[in-house]
Amino acid sequence: MKKILLLLTLIIFTACGGQKKIVVDSLTYEKNGDDYSYKIEIPQIKGIRNKEIEKLNVELSEIADATIESMVNRLEGSPAEYIESYQTFENDFGITSILLETYSIGENDANGIQASESINIRNSDGSFVTFDTFFKEGAKEYIVDQIKNIINKSSGKIVLNSNGKEVNFFEDVDINLDDSAMYFEGNDICFKFDMYELAPHSEGQPIIRFPKEELKEFIK
């Protein structure tokens, strides 16, 4: 009922001596049914001995299986089309940064929903990197204030969405960094917000970037 392709898509070599070589495999499920379709590509993280990462690999696979089962059985609330993918980013932080992205739409829905979440792993020891383990106290307040300045256009910074287009934000919005996907690309710390969090559906998913230099006083 499902086609599974196990592909080695990426081997990340770290530049610093002593760091671990983290391997990201791709596990793909794909099917076009009569009244549903899905293409799910999830990462499987290898190259490090870490029970938490092994547990994560299993959970990602189990979530994919559950999503497929709900679609095949046409359970209430299951999407008619579901696409899940991921990408990895080279960066200057010594972190394996993975961004997972999903798109789903119901049978009678006019618009689909896009959402993102991230997985960040420190190459030196294989530990998970979260906002609180990466930043010092005070970082969240500073970043939220900077985003507010971006939204009210007092910063002069232009924000692009996932399609590379400039974002027009809601005028009055609550900013919750916990609702964003934090990832690391090049020299930037990036926060990707889901649809409707900061902007209308038509604006897609805003990606707000901060160069390392701007936030260096808050980095542990």
Side-chain angles (χ1 to χ4, degrees):
M1 296 183 64
K2 60 189 178 184
K3 182 179 181 182
I4 303 179
L5 301 176
L6 184 58
L7 301 175
L8 182 62
T9 57
L10 180 67
I11 300 179
I12 302 174
F13 292 95
T14 57
C16 301
Q19 293 191 338
K20 298 180 182 297
K21 183 174 69 177
I22 297 178
V23 178
V24 183
D25 285 350
S26 178
L27 184 60
T28 303
Y29 309 74
E30 184 174 7
K31 180 167 181 160
N32 291 314
D34 293 334
D35 51 3
Y36 66 87
S37 66
Y38 58 80
K39 183 175 182 180
I40 303 174
E41 184 179 23
I42 57 173
Q44 295 288 278
I45 303 159
K46 301 179 180 179
I48 46 179
R49 293 183 178 179
N50 184 320
K51 289 186 176 180
E52 291 301 313
I53 289 178
E54 292 173 2
K55 181 180 177 182
L56 174 63
N57 286 336
V58 172
E59 288 177 348
L60 290 171
S61 180
E62 288 177 345
I63 291 170
D65 287 338
T67 300
I68 291 168
E69 183 177 358
S70 70
M71 294 182 70
V72 171
N73 294 318
R74 305 306 298 140
L75 300 182
E76 184 177 356
S78 65
E81 180 183 3
Y82 184 83
I83 300 171
E84 182 172 355
S85 61
Y86 73 90
Q87 54 184 322
T88 60
F89 299 92
E90 294 184 2
N91 60 73
D92 301 330
F93 297 88
I95 292 172
T96 294
S97 196
I98 306 171
L99 185 67
L100 296 91
E101 302 179 278
T102 62
Y103 169 84
S104 63
I105 186 168
E107 185 176 2
N108 299 314
D109 292 343
N111 296 309
I113 298 294
Q114 291 177 304
S116 301
E117 59 182 312
S118 59
I119 301 168
N120 298 297
I121 303 168
R122 198 175 301 279
N123 295 334
S124 60
D125 60 10
S127 63
F128 285 111
V129 178
T130 66
F131 189 96
D132 291 335
T133 63
F134 186 78
F135 285 112
K136 300 176 183 176
E137 186 176 351
K140 187 167 291 186
E141 292 78 7
Y142 175 83
I143 293 170
V144 168
D145 285 344
Q146 297 310 302
I147 294 175
K148 288 179 180 177
N149 292 337
I150 291 170
I151 290 174
N152 64 31
K153 299 183 178 180
S154 64
S155 71
K157 182 182 290 188
I158 295 175
V159 172
L160 305 180
N161 62 20
S162 51
N163 296 320
K165 296 182 179 180
E166 184 177 351
V167 175
N168 293 306
F169 293 96
F170 290 132
E171 291 185 2
D172 186 19
V173 62
D174 291 327
I175 301 166
N176 187 351
L177 284 182
D178 295 333
D179 291 335
S180 69
M182 180 182 74
Y183 65 97
F184 302 84
E185 181 178 13
N187 196 47
D188 292 340
I189 304 163
C190 308
F191 298 90
K192 187 172 184 178
F193 289 84
D194 288 344
M195 288 179 168
Y196 302 112
E197 291 290 338
L198 301 182
H201 180 278
S202 59
E203 299 300 308
Q205 293 180 264
I207 302 172
I208 300 177
R209 299 172 177 270
F210 293 92
K212 182 195 292 185
E213 185 68 20
E214 182 177 348
L215 300 180
K216 66 178 182 179
E217 66 179 287
F218 296 108
I219 297 174
K220 291 181 178 179

